[in-house]
Amino acid sequence: MCELLGMSANVPTDICFSFAGFLHRGGGTGPHRDGWGIAFYEEGGYREFRDPHPSVDSPIARLICDYPIKSNVVISHIRQANVGGVRLANTHPFTREMWGRPWCYAHNGQLKNWQGLPLGTYTPVGSTDSEHAFCFLMGELRRAFPEPPSDSARLWQHLHALCERLRGLGIFNLLLSDGVYLYTYCSTKLAHITRRAPFGEAELSDAEVTVNFVEHTTPDDIVSVIATEPLTHNETWQRMAPGELLVWKEGDIQARFSAG
């Protein structure tokens, strides 16, 4: 099974600390050796790195750790291949344009009968169930909302209904963003933590790395991290419930939708 990592912050923030632990799960402390990727939204722009090789041995992954790219929204993924070969075209995250914005998506899980999901505007480049589901999801959103809705809650409700439909096909844990909002949907496993003043120390579970956030933040900073499994062992992470969709903006939860 793959693993997910996301971040939402109210100020441009680097994800070096969390990513340093996450990359070790890609062939080091975890079995996810079949590729990895990370995407950053920066000041209206979009930057992405993908590599079909294990993150624990990847020079590109080491670059990300050493090069503190500051972003308000980050999505990352490490892959353990189930459907589709190990190649760049099958490496998450995937990106499509809608309403003049790059939408970024990463999926953890495996779906059944996914080939039957109807496709419209968007078609896959690779051969994974994950990318097919993304194209279905984006096509359905665009069909329902040819233009950005004036009431964002309508979009969020529709997205939750689509995620619930996909959960009916198997395991569907999702990270999705348009650069403004970060959407996190839990089918089986997702956890999150929000760091704000007063800040303290955090210790990674997968690497011998400790950081004192007081030295890297201001009292007004809000940074939330979402991961398949908690990345630190000395902090309290909150587990999402199956069927739950959280909508994040600038580090805070804006809306919450539950199963049923």
Side-chain angles (χ1 to χ4, degrees):
M1 197 75 72
C2 307
E3 290 205 22
L4 302 171
L5 170 65
M7 184 191 78
S8 173
N10 69 335
V11 293
T13 304
D14 74 70
I15 200 170
C16 294
F17 173 71
S18 295
F19 186 71
F22 189 62
L23 71 85
H24 280 279
R25 297 179 179 179
T29 58
H32 314 88
R33 299 187 58 84
D34 300 325
W36 68 277
I38 189 167
F40 303 87
Y41 286 92
E42 305 171 61
E43 299 180 345
Y46 177 84
R47 190 191 317 228
E48 178 185 287
F49 301 85
R50 294 191 295 158
D51 186 356
H53 301 103
S55 58
V56 71
D57 300 322
S58 172
I60 304 174
R62 289 197 294 273
L63 167 68
I64 301 302
C65 288
D66 296 336
Y67 180 29
I69 299 172
K70 297 200 179 280
S71 173
N72 290 84
V73 178
V74 177
I75 288 178
S76 186
H77 179 277
I78 50 176
R79 184 174 184 232
Q80 185 177 14
N82 290 308
V83 178
V86 179
R87 60 192 183 103
L88 188 60
N90 291 334
T91 305
H92 306 223
F94 302 109
T95 314
R96 295 293 188 277
E97 178 275 335
M98 185 166 68
W99 308 326
R101 304 177 197 164
W103 286 67
C104 176
Y105 156 102
H107 163 234
N108 162 25
Q110 191 170 357
L111 305 176
K112 298 177 181 177
N113 303 319
W114 53 273
Q115 299 92 335
L117 292 169
L119 301 179
T121 305
Y122 303 96
T123 55
V125 175
S127 55
T128 64
D129 54 344
S130 299
E131 188 184 13
H132 189 105
F134 178 41
C135 291
F136 160 77
L137 191 67
M138 292 294 291
E140 290 297 300
L141 288 176
R142 191 157 203 160
R143 186 174 63 83
F145 304 100
E147 302 292 335
S150 56
D151 180 7
S152 296
R154 291 174 54 222
L155 172 68
W156 301 344
Q157 290 167 351
H158 194 59
L159 174 61
H160 182 247
L162 291 169
C163 289
E164 287 283 82
R165 178 176 172 182
L166 289 167
R167 183 165 72 111
L169 301 182
I171 297 175
F172 188 73
N173 300 296
L174 162 144
L175 299 183
L176 175 72
S177 181
D178 64 349
V180 178
Y181 296 100
L182 173 66
Y183 304 97
T184 62
Y185 177 79
C186 176
S187 172
T188 53
K189 285 196 296 186
L190 271 180
H192 58 88
I193 187 169
T194 297
R195 300 182 179 116
R196 63 179 84 222
F199 293 97
E201 285 193 351
E203 301 174 358
L204 289 175
S205 301
D206 298 88
E208 294 183 1
V209 179
T210 301
V211 65
N212 187 346
F213 287 112
V214 173
E215 300 172 359
H216 305 277
T217 56
T218 74
D220 297 325
D221 291 1
I222 304 172
V223 180
S224 292
V225 177
I226 302 92
T228 299
E229 292 287 354
L231 292 164
T232 58
H233 59 75
N234 67 324
E235 297 178 293
T236 302
W237 291 65
Q238 304 297 316
R239 297 276 185 179
M240 291 181 61
E244 184 176 42
L245 173 73
L246 298 180
V247 181
W248 303 82
K249 184 179 180 183
E250 297 184 347
D252 275 326
I253 296 172
Q254 306 297 306
R256 185 188 305 265
F257 299 86
S258 301

